[in-house]
Each structure stands twice: as C-alpha cells, then as structure tokens.
Amino acid sequence: MGQGFEDVFTQYGALLSRVANSYEANDAMQQELLQEIAIAVWQGLSRFKGDSSIKTYILKIAHNRAVTHVASQVKRVDTHRYESDTLGSDGYQSPQYSPEVVSSQQQSLARLLQAVRALPLQPRQVLTLSLEGLSYDEIAEVCGISKNHVGVILKRAKQKVLQEEPNA
C-alpha cells in the first residue's frame, strides 16, 4: 500500500517483462507493451487498497493491459510482418555450458514461448500466471474466474502446449 512505483518496478520489473514476453513475440512490441504495463501499474498504484498482495494486484493490471494490447494489435492491419530476433542477441555465452547445450535450451524456450503465444488469451493468461508461481486462488483473482475454472483452463492449456512440442 505504501510502496512507490520505483520500488514496485525494481522488485517486479522482471516479472512484468516476462508477462509482456508471453504476449508479444516481437522485441519492439514487447518493449511497447512493457511500457504500457508500466504506465498502467504507475496509474493503478494509487488505487491499491491492500485487499490482495501487491504482486497479485500488479499482475492483474499487467495481464489486463496485455489483453487490451493484443486485442488492439489484432484489429490493426499490418503492411509488413515482424520477425523475432534470434535468442542470445546479448553476445554472451555461459561458461558452464557448451554452445550446443545453450543453443538447444534456447530452441526449447523459443518453442515453448511460441506454443504459449499460440494459446487463446485466457488460457495463455492462466498458464503464464501459473508459470510465475501464483496459486489457483491468486490466478482466479487476477483473471476474475473461479478457482475450479482455473484448474480446468490450466489443464487444457498444458495439454495444448504439450501437443505443440515436436516429438524428440
């Protein structure tokens, strides 16, 4: 309740970045969405009453903003298609792992993100919140659905993502 925006963003910025990443494949659009989320969180902090944890509250704001962003992007007619940058563009390699292992992990992560992004909005939202470690109760609060419905949606989302994985 008494946390300022800078404190909240310092503590939860990486989490909010992962939310944006789960909704947008393109790096530039991820950054745009993250900025939209940051503004919405900044505006929403004054309305935080402490009825839930700050994490749950800002995730609700972030996911609502992401849903609105995706819906507006669907309506927009693009004249060109964006392509994702390759992973690992920072130029650093982990000294612990061989390039083959790092490449394999990056490819697995890219396939997982692609499968998650292919989900309809509500299952994507529920799965993303679950991957962030939220409880069924917290997910239900963020999404505005019942705890039981969270379980059903999550099970179906996981099955759909697993179906998308190529047989290795």
Side-chain angles (χ1 to χ4, degrees), residues 1 6 12-13 15 17 19 29 31-32 35 64 67 69 72-73 80 87-88 98 110 119 125 134 136 141 151 161 165:
M1 209 148 79
E6 288 180 18
Y12 298 109
L15 172 66
S17 181
V19 169
M29 296 304 289
Q31 291 303 311
E32 180 180 315
Q35 290 174 3
N64 287 339
V67 168
H69 173 86
S72 70
Q73 293 303 311
H80 62 283
L87 293 174
S98 70
L119 292 171
Q125 184 177 29
L134 270 68
Y136 279 29
E141 183 179 334
V161 167
E165 283 292 310

Side-chain angles (χ1 to χ4, degrees), residues 23-82:
Y23 281 90
E24 273 295 346
N26 176 272
D27 286 339
M29 296 304 289
Q30 284 175 20
Q31 291 303 311
E32 180 180 315
L33 176 55
L34 183 57
Q35 290 174 3
E36 291 176 22
I37 289 170
I39 291 169
V41 167
W42 176 66
Q43 292 171 334
L45 281 176
S46 65
R47 295 186 299 275
F48 180 62
K49 306 236 186 300
D51 298 337
S52 63
S53 72
I54 188 75
K55 180 179 177 182
T56 303
Y57 182 74
I58 65 168
L59 277 171
K60 185 172 188 172
I61 291 171
H63 280 278
N64 287 339
R65 186 64 223 132
V67 168
T68 303
H69 173 86
V70 170
S72 70
Q73 293 303 311
V74 168
K75 294 176 186 174
R76 199 177 103 200
V77 178
D78 286 330
T79 56
H80 62 283
R81 190 171 180 89
Y82 293 108

